[in-house]
């Protein structure tokens, strides 16, 4: 393994270049006329830009309005709006004719990729950040060293005055499946398309597949398997008594407005928890109503035809999971009557959500300076006085900033808030960028 250290001192390094940090790149560009241009860099582990690329099935639509893109709510005149993307691709009239606010995810992914193409000079792809290390000067953490690993295994070291962590969620694997993580027949929905292709499933392939989970991802996987693979039978396994609808009615949707972030942040911890619990059915373990209705019609048609291709297995607990040559075996408890069953599947899809813990792993070497990881209203971690660098987080602040923190809804405003805070922090530091470490040390002696 080779190790390379850059001599450049960056003002900011962004971890990940998904929608959150892409929106930040836009905000920083917009503010360059008001503030000094910053020396920034974004690092993304993907070799090519894509947004949930392995989940972009044909029936997958965006669940929020296209107007909640990267920038429109803050600056509708921006060249990076979804409307301008449609105009540039000569599809604006066609999209209007669709009569919808909700583009398919495939198109929104293309919009994000198109936007990201304007920032190639400030993003390095194919580099996964593995650690953020403290750099000490005069007994305090003065800057941060960002360690990344390229696709060929080479390590890169870069020094920066601040970081913005936007690494996204990591797939949540239930404990009962932990020992099967290496089995290609058991996989999280985040890998759906790639794993389906690896299994060699075709429209004529006869297979029995289990989907575990009761949310939107599970529903989209069910529809895709039903529509594209007519020889596949599916058991949809959920713990609850029913698939629940997502509440996207107008008054409830106000929780995703920027003003609601202030309301949530200004509450005490107990009240924040109450708010998040109250509105949990807007985002977690819920399915769009139109998709629920379509799936119900599929099961009803089975009854009419007398061909029970799929099964809807509610009130089931998975008590055990084993793998052998014959397939994946699940031990299921029917909570309605206490009966156990043992079922064999050719594959198991885990639509079991995501965890938001990656920031703790990346910042492990700074843990002693970060306390309980409390964040300010500007999304900056409130560090110990012995740690000078600014550390911002995007997508890890739901407990303090509300349910919109992991969604697209507040991206334009959040990116502006972080950009302004970052400029103010760097102005207070008065540390010159674009200089070598040696020159920096000599300037401080």
């Amino acid at each position: 393994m080779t190790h390379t250290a850059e001599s450049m001192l960056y003002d900011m390094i962004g971890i990940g270049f998904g929608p959150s940090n892409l929106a930040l790149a836009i905000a920083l560009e917009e503010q360059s006329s008001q503030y000094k241009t910053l020396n920034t860099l974004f690092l993304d582990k993907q070799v090519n830009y894509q947004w949930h690329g392995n989940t972009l099935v044909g029936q997958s639509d965006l669940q929020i309005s296209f107007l909640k893109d990267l920038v429109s709510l803050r600056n509708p005149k921006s060249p990076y709006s979804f409307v301008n993307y449609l105009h540039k691709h000569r599809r604006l009239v066609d999209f209007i004719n669709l009569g919808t606010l909700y583009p398919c995810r495939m198109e929104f992914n293309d919009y994000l990729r198109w936007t990201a193409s304007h920032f190639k000079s400030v993003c390095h792809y194919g580099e996964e950040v593995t650690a953020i290390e403290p750099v000490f000067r005069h007994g305090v953490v003065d800057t941060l060293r960002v360690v990344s690993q390229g696709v060929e295994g080479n390590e890169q070291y870069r020094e920066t005055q601040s970081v913005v962590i936007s690494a996204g969620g990591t797939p949540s694997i239930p404990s009962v499946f932990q020992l099967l993580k290496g089995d290609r027949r058991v996989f999280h929905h985040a890998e759906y398309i790639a794993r389906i292709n690896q299994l060699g499933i075709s429209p004529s392939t006869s297979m029995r597949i289990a989907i575990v989970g009761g949310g939107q991802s599970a529903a989209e996987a069910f529809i895709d398997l039903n529509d594209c693979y007519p020889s596949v039978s599916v058991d949809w396994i959920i713990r609850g008594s029913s698939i629940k609808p997502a509440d996207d009615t107008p008054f409830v949707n106000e929780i995703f407005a920027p003003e609601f972030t202030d309301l949530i942040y200004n509450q005490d911890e107990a009240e924040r928890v109450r708010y998040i619990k109250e509105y949990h059915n807007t985002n977690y373990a819920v399915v769009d109503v139109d998709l629920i209705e379509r799936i119900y019609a599929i099961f009803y048609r089975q009854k009419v035809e007398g061909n029970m291709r799929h099964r809807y297995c509610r009130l089931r607990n998975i008590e055990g999971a084993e793998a052998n040559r014959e397939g994946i075996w699940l031990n299921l408890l029917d909570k309605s009557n206490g009966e156990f069953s043992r079922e064999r599947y050719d594959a198991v899809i885990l639509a079991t959500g995501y965890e938001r813990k990656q920031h703790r792993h990346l910042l492990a070497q700074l843990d002693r300076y970060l306390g309980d990881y409390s964040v300010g209203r500007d999304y900056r971690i409130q560090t110990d006085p012995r740690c000078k660098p600014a550390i911002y987080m995007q997508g890890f602040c739901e407990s303090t900033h509300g349910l919109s923190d992991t969604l697209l809804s507040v991206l334009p405003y959040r990116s502006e808030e972080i950009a302004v805070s970052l400029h103010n922090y760097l102005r207070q530091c008065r540390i010159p960028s674009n200089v070598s470490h040696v020159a920096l040390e000599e300037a401080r002696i």
Side-chain angles (χ1 to χ4, degrees):
M1 179 185 297
T2 60
H3 305 269
T4 306
E6 285 192 15
S7 60
M8 186 78 69
L9 174 66
Y10 288 92
D11 292 313
M12 186 278 293
I13 292 180
I15 315 302
F17 204 48
S20 295
N21 269 347
L22 182 52
L24 177 60
I26 295 172
L28 290 171
E29 180 182 280
E30 287 180 344
Q31 294 179 6
S32 60
S33 60
Q34 181 180 358
Y35 300 95
K36 71 179 285 287
T37 300
L38 301 184
N39 179 24
T40 63
L41 179 68
F42 295 90
L43 302 173
D44 196 281
K45 64 182 179 181
Q46 298 184 107
V47 177
N48 299 301
Y49 194 96
Q50 60 177 351
W51 179 59
H52 300 305
N54 271 313
T55 67
L56 298 176
V57 295
Q59 298 298 323
S60 177
D61 291 332
L62 203 64
Q63 292 172 273
I64 66 171
S65 168
F66 70 87
L67 292 172
K68 292 185 175 182
D69 58 18
L70 298 170
V71 68
S72 289
L73 291 180
R74 185 185 76 246
N75 179 14
K77 297 180 180 180
S78 170
Y80 303 117
S81 71
F82 184 76
V83 169
N84 191 48
Y85 156 80
L86 291 173
H87 173 67
K88 292 291 186 181
H89 289 76
R90 300 185 180 182
R91 292 202 306 269
L92 182 54
V93 172
D94 298 326
F95 184 84
I96 292 171
N97 287 338
L98 286 175
T100 182
L101 293 172
Y102 310 105
C104 68
R105 290 179 186 268
M106 192 174 299
E107 182 172 38
F108 201 77
N109 175 67
D110 191 61
Y111 155 67
L112 295 174
R113 185 165 50 219
W114 171 79
T115 306
S117 69
H118 294 82
F119 295 92
K120 288 181 179 179
S121 63
V122 294
C123 183
H124 288 187
Y125 294 97
E127 286 194 42
E128 181 175 7
V129 174
T130 57
I132 301 172
E133 302 173 345
V135 177
F136 294 94
R137 292 187 178 94
H138 307 298
V140 300
V141 181
D142 192 57
T143 56
L144 301 173
R145 181 182 297 112
V146 176
V147 183
S148 63
Q149 189 170 63
V151 291
E152 297 180 355
N154 55 304
E155 279 196 338
Q156 186 81 26
Y157 301 93
R158 298 179 178 91
E159 196 167 333
T160 181
Q161 295 175 245
S162 63
V163 295
V164 181
I165 302 174
S166 181
T170 53
S172 178
I173 308 298
S175 58
V176 71
F177 291 103
Q178 288 294 328
L179 295 178
L180 302 182
K181 286 170 65 175
D183 194 306
R184 70 185 184 93
R185 298 167 295 179
V186 180
F187 54 91
H188 194 272
H189 181 260
E191 302 176 285
Y192 177 77
I193 293 178
R195 291 299 192 98
I196 289 293
N197 291 336
Q198 287 176 9
L199 289 172
I201 302 177
S202 69
S204 60
T205 304
S206 178
M207 295 187 75
R208 191 171 182 223
I209 295 178
I211 298 175
V212 180
Q216 184 75 12
S217 296
E220 291 178 0
F222 177 86
I223 287 292
D224 186 64
L225 291 172
N226 176 79
D227 292 359
C228 300
Y229 306 99
S231 297
V232 168
S233 62
V234 177
D235 279 7
W236 189 355
I237 303 170
I238 67 171
R239 290 181 298 181
S241 59
S242 176
I243 301 168
K244 302 294 177 60
D247 189 344
D248 62 352
T249 51
F251 287 107
V252 169
N253 256 352
E254 289 184 343
I255 70 165
F256 300 119
E259 295 80 8
F260 210 84
T261 303
D262 287 323
L263 188 152
I264 292 291
Y265 187 81
N266 291 327
Q267 307 301 313
D268 60 32
E269 184 177 357
E271 193 65 7
R272 288 173 184 164
V273 171
R274 188 192 69 77
Y275 269 111
I276 291 173
K277 183 177 180 180
E278 178 182 356
Y279 292 104
H280 197 264
N281 66 336
T282 61
N283 188 44
Y284 292 109
V286 290
V287 180
D288 286 346
V289 172
D290 59 344
L291 202 52
I292 291 176
E293 292 172 346
R294 186 175 171 200
I295 291 169
Y296 189 87
I298 290 171
F299 281 108
Y300 179 78
R301 194 176 303 114
Q302 286 187 167
K303 293 180 180 179
V304 173
E305 297 172 349
N307 175 23
M308 306 307 289
R309 174 185 166 193
H310 307 306
R311 293 196 305 170
Y312 175 43
C313 307
R314 57 182 156 196
L315 292 170
R316 298 298 201 280
N317 274 354
I318 301 175
E319 302 292 318
E322 304 169 19
N324 59 27
R325 287 185 177 181
E326 297 176 356
I328 306 298
W329 295 84
L330 301 184
N331 299 324
L332 303 177
L333 169 64
D334 187 335
K335 295 188 289 184
S336 67
N337 55 27
E339 294 182 358
F340 283 89
S341 63
R342 181 174 167 83
E343 305 287 346
R344 187 201 68 82
Y345 299 100
D346 297 296
V348 177
I349 301 168
L350 303 176
T352 46
Y354 295 83
E355 298 176 329
R356 299 273 171 172
K357 299 179 180 178
Q358 185 68 3
H359 62 298
R360 297 264 183 170
H361 168 71
L362 293 174
L363 295 169
Q365 296 188 48
L366 291 155
D367 199 63
R368 74 182 73 174
Y369 306 104
L370 306 183
D372 59 357
Y373 284 75
S374 297
V375 291
R377 178 59 184 83
D378 60 355
Y379 301 91
R380 179 181 171 184
I381 296 179
Q382 297 173 343
T383 59
D384 183 293
R386 296 170 297 167
C387 183
K388 292 171 55 179
I391 303 171
Y392 297 89
M393 297 194 300
Q394 300 202 75
F396 300 98
C397 306
E398 180 180 277
S399 62
T400 53
H401 289 67
L403 287 164
S404 61
D405 186 65
T406 62
L407 306 176
L408 298 173
S409 300
V410 297
L411 292 192
Y413 292 98
R414 182 173 66 190
S415 60
E416 182 179 53
E417 291 167 359
I418 292 176
V420 170
S421 175
L422 178 61
H423 278 293
N424 289 336
Y425 160 74
L426 293 170
R427 186 166 50 192
Q428 293 170 2
C429 286
R430 297 195 182 107
I431 300 176
S433 59
N434 300 318
V435 296
S436 69
H437 299 307
V438 175
L440 184 61
E441 281 299 309
E442 290 176 349
R444 285 178 171 150
I445 296 175

